[in-house]
Amino acid sequence: MSARSPYAFLAPFFTLFAAFGIFPLLYTAYVSLYRVELQTPGELEWRGLDNYTALLGDPFFWTALRNTFTIGLLSTVPQLLMALGLAHLLNSRLRALTFFRTALLLPYATSVAAASLVFAQLFGRDFGLVNQVLGLAGVDPVDWQTGTAASQIAVSSIVVWRWTGYNALIYLAGMQSIPRERYEAAEVDGASSWRQFVHVTLPGLRPTIVFTSIVSTIGATQLFGEPLLFEGSMSGGISHQYQTLGLYMYEQGWGFFHLGRAAAIAWMMFLLIAVLVGVNALLARRRSGQEAW
């Protein structure tokens, strides 16, 4: 085997990555500097940074940005907490563990369209199952598709339902990689199950928790299918109350035909993801450094 053989094996990956990763990213940055309409994609009019300044002056952009953060928090935090609890439960000695572990992946295997349409029916104002259950408790019907908080909770519930099991299996794999001797030593010291979870499981899962937090942050920033199919509107509700950045980009590009502005939104999302991931990694590194000290 020659010295160039490893490069030959890696060449297909880097070729595909350059064609479908780097090139679209750079071309999107190029298009964001021009005025491009969907009807005439070959006609480019130089605008410089005008597309970006127009976004910063558009109140709907800030609404979409705020909605992205709130829906991201409403979906990511409960999702990861529930996944951690389920993983801890499945890491114990229960019957039919294989069945339960397989069942956790069923929501993830369900298509976004099917899940969103089902949840839209569940959160219906007049005949939705959720309002019927709330009615049994004496709560008045909630208009889940009109109210700001209610609609964001409904959209977040779709994300939580689809991704909790997936993250639970990742946590479960991380728990099973923790040496059993640590738990045995904690038992000898008289630590309860809760103290073992706090002082043995959580520290051992820190790299896994950081990974799932970063991936969930990226997914929340790119959220698109769930809010689009929840009501079938590009505007994200009557008052844009649950329109995310992904949905806002789709509306600008394929609703209003402004491809240049849509490309600018895509790059704003890219920069936002880079900042959030960087902050997340910095906080995780600082936390690890403090504990090492």
Side-chain angles (χ1 to χ4, degrees), residues 32-210:
S32 68
L33 302 177
Y34 289 85
R35 181 180 183 273
V36 188
E37 299 299 322
L38 185 61
Q39 303 93 326
T40 55
E43 299 179 6
L44 279 69
E45 178 184 337
W46 173 257
R47 294 200 63 186
L49 297 178
D50 288 351
N51 284 328
Y52 294 92
T53 56
L55 287 179
L56 297 178
D58 187 357
F60 292 125
F61 168 76
W62 296 106
T63 299
L65 181 62
R66 183 177 64 251
N67 293 340
T68 300
F69 273 107
T70 54
I71 294 176
L73 288 175
L74 289 172
S75 59
T76 300
V77 175
Q79 171 193 153
L80 296 183
L81 291 177
M82 292 171 60
L84 192 60
L86 288 173
H88 182 66
L89 182 63
L90 293 179
N91 196 37
S92 59
R93 298 175 182 176
L94 296 176
R95 293 183 179 180
L97 277 178
T98 303
F99 169 77
F100 289 118
R101 292 173 182 175
T102 304
L104 283 178
L105 276 179
L106 292 180
Y108 173 71
T110 305
S111 68
V112 179
S116 301
L117 293 176
V118 170
F119 271 79
Q121 297 298 318
L122 292 176
F123 284 100
R125 185 178 68 88
D126 297 322
F127 305 103
L129 180 61
V130 175
N131 275 343
Q132 292 184 15
V133 174
L134 293 177
L136 296 177
V139 179
D140 295 332
V142 179
D143 194 348
W144 297 98
Q145 294 183 343
T146 302
T148 300
S151 59
Q152 292 184 2
I153 291 173
V155 172
S156 300
S157 66
I158 308 174
V159 183
V160 171
W161 181 81
R162 290 194 69 240
W163 290 97
T164 297
Y166 174 84
N167 287 309
L169 292 182
I170 294 179
Y171 286 147
L172 179 61
M175 290 179 182
Q176 293 180 344
S177 67
I178 299 175
R180 188 63 193 173
E181 291 78 9
R182 297 183 184 179
Y183 292 100
E184 294 174 353
E187 290 179 359
V188 171
D189 292 338
S192 61
S193 298
W194 172 250
R195 294 185 66 86
Q196 291 180 28
F197 178 77
V198 173
H199 297 287
V200 178
T201 303
L202 289 183
L205 278 181
R206 183 168 295 112
T208 308
I209 294 175
V210 171

Side-chain angles (χ1 to χ4, degrees), residues 10-25:
L10 293 174
F13 166 76
F14 284 107
T15 301
L16 293 174
F17 179 71
F20 298 100
I22 297 179
F23 173 74
L25 185 65

